[in-house]
Amino acid sequence: MSAATVKRPSGTAAIASLGLAILFVLSLFVGVGDMPLGRLLSDADALELLLVSRLPRTLAAILAGAGLAIAGLIMQTLARNRYVEPSTAGTAQSAELGILLATLLWPSASLALKSLAAGAAALLGTSVFLMTAHRLPPTQPFLVPLFGLVYGGVIGAAVTFIGWQADLLQYLAVWTNGDFSGVLRGRYELLWIGALMVAVAWFIADRLTIMTLGRDASVGLGLDYARMMQLGLLIVSIVSALGVVVVGMIPFVGLVVPNIVSRLMGDNLRGTLPVVALSGAALVLGCDILGRLIRYPYEIPVGTVMGVVGGFLFLWLLFRRPSHA
Amino acid sequence: MIRIENVSFRHGPTNILHDISLTIPKGGITALVGPNGAGKSSLLSLISRLQTLQEGSITIDGLPVDTTPNRQLAKVIAILRQDSIVASRLRVHELVGFGRFPHGRGRLTEEDRAIVGQSLQQFDLADLADRFIETLSGGQRQRALVAMAFCQGTDYLLLDEPLNNLDMYYARELMRSLRAIADEKGKTIVIVLHDINQAGAYADRIVAMKDGRLIADGAPAELLNTDILESVFGFRMPVEVVDGKPVALHFR
């Protein structure tokens, strides 16, 4: 009966919320600038530091983490494959290509417009990936992530080539490696759109779960499969593009978080989706705090920390099979 | 009533169905039989709008399947495809519960929960309700899928080879359940069967297909005879009457 003794959704959600709350407070007080708790209200500089830098950075990490985890979850639903996520299947690379082209063609464009370009490119790139993924034989589940890696690699190579030609390689690094150190008030608020997308995803959670049963079952239950596919694509593209534009690419979040939650709680998204969002937020925020502490007072970008932490989590997932298998 | 008129269907250069016309009245069990590749599954897919109609027309209770909104049809007809795969980690009661989706579009009401409970009982799944689908045997999984289709609460239930993966006990149980559903709840069941004797024992009517055409249609007593079965399956099998029911000895 090992399969039945799984944690109750509410319990897991509570643990995730508590962990996130602790990390939230921790994040506000970890950093180079001096910000003693007792002087917060009397010391204008300390309060300024909190409101302009620490709080925005913390919120950015939470929003990006929740968004990326949900984007990964939806991508896995659309591709009907557990081993894909936006950063390994061409979505993030397409977004980079979009923002690079926008920067080249229209250097004075605002962050919002560059986000739009990144979003449009991500949508296009992800659509091509999914169309191809659906043609691959379902008997070979590892072809899909494999194809995604190659596809993302090819687009990434094109981005690097163009960036090199245009002498923008350093600029490019800002998007290819996620980093919250540049986040200040006024420079991260676009990520709230990602939070809105998470809310939309929760609203359509039942439909997304039905989609994991495949096209025939979805149509049989009266779902507009094509439209749901488009909506899912839109959410994945917007969230990924915003992530790339505002903080840069953070790998593995979309891969490991949904998989771990699925192991613990199953795939009924009505119950698991909030846990995925909370856990994604906690993971990214935790990695950012770690990056601030490891070489204190210097910082390690969250993308790098996540590369290591996420890699280990992924290996753990691969080696620790579910108990009933 | 399902009314199929002059339906032809092609897949690339291959003609899968040739000018099929068939009327299935409300109530009772209609079995579709025939050799592999006869077009049974394609016909079922067309009736349940999983495939797009190319030629001809199909209506269910007067609703044309190609123009009626998908949501509306989902309350009239439920289909279980052959070889449905559930790759997601869902518990049995969750999967069966999704059968109620066409009615509430998500949230389950008390009434929905009661229907889910009945469906689990009907297909002997109550003890397995909290198990993940992936931990079940092939036969248990198949029953969960049938229960999900039944839970949809439609007047018409289309089942494509639901006896696959079932052992003799559960094959018999499933056919008896379907018979009870048809008799007590007035459901119309169209079922693709490979075992001609299951069709003979439980169906009210047998429709035989071969090479995309209807070649025989009638009550089991009429249809189960050596000549007709030879024209369908391509070999002669003796048919004996046991307990008043025809039994084809196809294994001889």
Side-chain angles (χ1 to χ4, degrees), chain A residues 1 3-4 6-8 80 82 202 205-207 209-210 212-225 262-270 322 324, chain B residues 45 48-52 70-71 73-74 77-79 81 85-91 94-95 98-102 105-107 127 130-132 134-135 148 152:
Chain A
M1 284 307 284
V6 172
K7 292 181 186 72
R8 289 286 106 201
R80 293 188 77 194
R82 282 192 198 285
W202 199 24
D206 287 323
R207 283 148 225 239
T209 310
I210 289 175
T212 63
L213 301 176
R215 181 192 166 272
D216 286 349
S218 305
V219 174
L221 289 172
L223 209 65
D224 188 338
Y225 190 73
S262 166
R263 286 278 171 91
L264 294 175
M265 297 172 64
D267 288 329
N268 191 355
L269 301 184
R270 171 69 57 204
H324 55 75
Chain B
S45 295
S48 56
R49 50 69 177 96
L50 297 183
Q51 295 268 18
T52 313
N70 194 8
R71 287 180 180 205
L73 281 176
I77 189 162
I79 170 132
R81 290 266 294 181
I85 303 163
V86 179
S88 31
R89 275 164 59 78
L90 293 173
R91 290 168 213 282
E94 290 172 336
L95 181 80
F98 277 114
R100 297 307 297 165
F101 182 79
R105 312 287 298 170
R107 299 269 175 205
D127 293 342
D130 277 326
R131 289 266 298 270
F132 279 114
E134 61 186 0
T135 67
M148 178 188 176
Q152 211 170 321

Side-chain angles (χ1 to χ4, degrees), chain A residues 7-240:
Chain A
K7 292 181 186 72
R8 289 286 106 201
S10 53
T12 320
I15 294 170
S17 312
L18 186 68
L20 185 58
I22 294 171
L23 289 170
F24 181 85
V25 175
L26 205 60
S27 169
L28 293 180
F29 293 98
V30 171
V32 177
D34 194 27
M35 202 185 77
L37 188 58
R39 292 215 320 268
L40 248 189
L41 294 175
S42 57
D43 185 341
D45 284 348
L47 189 64
E48 174 97 353
L49 179 66
L50 176 73
L51 293 182
V52 173
S53 168
R54 294 282 169 76
L55 186 63
R57 177 176 191 155
T58 304
L59 288 176
I62 289 173
L63 293 172
L68 289 176
I70 295 301
L73 179 69
I74 296 180
M75 189 102 168
Q76 286 149 26
T77 301
L78 301 186
R80 293 188 77 194
N81 190 299
R82 282 192 198 285
Y83 298 105
V84 294
E85 68 139 348
S87 74
T88 60
T91 308
Q93 291 81 3
S94 303
E96 285 166 22
L97 187 61
I99 191 173
L100 179 64
L101 292 178
T103 307
L104 277 176
L105 301 175
W106 194 9
S108 63
S110 67
L111 200 63
L113 280 170
K114 282 178 187 164
S115 306
L116 211 60
L123 193 60
L124 192 69
T126 316
S127 306
V128 171
F129 167 72
L130 279 180
M131 278 190 312
T132 315
H134 280 243
R135 282 167 198 275
L136 297 173
T139 46
Q140 304 272 334
F142 288 105
L143 268 184
V144 176
L146 211 57
F147 166 71
L149 283 175
V150 175
Y151 177 71
V154 170
I155 299 176
V159 171
T160 308
F161 178 75
I162 297 172
W164 178 63
Q165 289 282 319
D167 213 7
L168 283 174
L169 275 184
Q170 271 192 318
Y171 203 39
L172 213 57
V174 175
W175 304 314
T176 45
N177 197 358
D179 185 5
F180 289 107
S181 61
V183 170
L184 294 172
R185 188 169 66 195
R187 289 212 44 204
Y188 81 101
E189 283 78 359
L190 278 172
L191 288 176
W192 284 104
I193 299 174
L196 187 70
M197 292 299 122
V198 173
V200 172
W202 199 24
F203 183 71
I204 60 169
D206 287 323
R207 283 148 225 239
L208 289 171
T209 310
I210 289 175
M211 284 182 81
T212 63
L213 301 176
R215 181 192 166 272
D216 286 349
S218 305
V219 174
L221 289 172
L223 209 65
D224 188 338
Y225 190 73
R227 181 166 301 167
M228 285 307 301
M229 198 70 152
Q230 291 160 357
L231 184 57
L233 261 172
L234 204 63
I235 297 177
V236 169
S237 304
I238 291 175
V239 171
S240 312

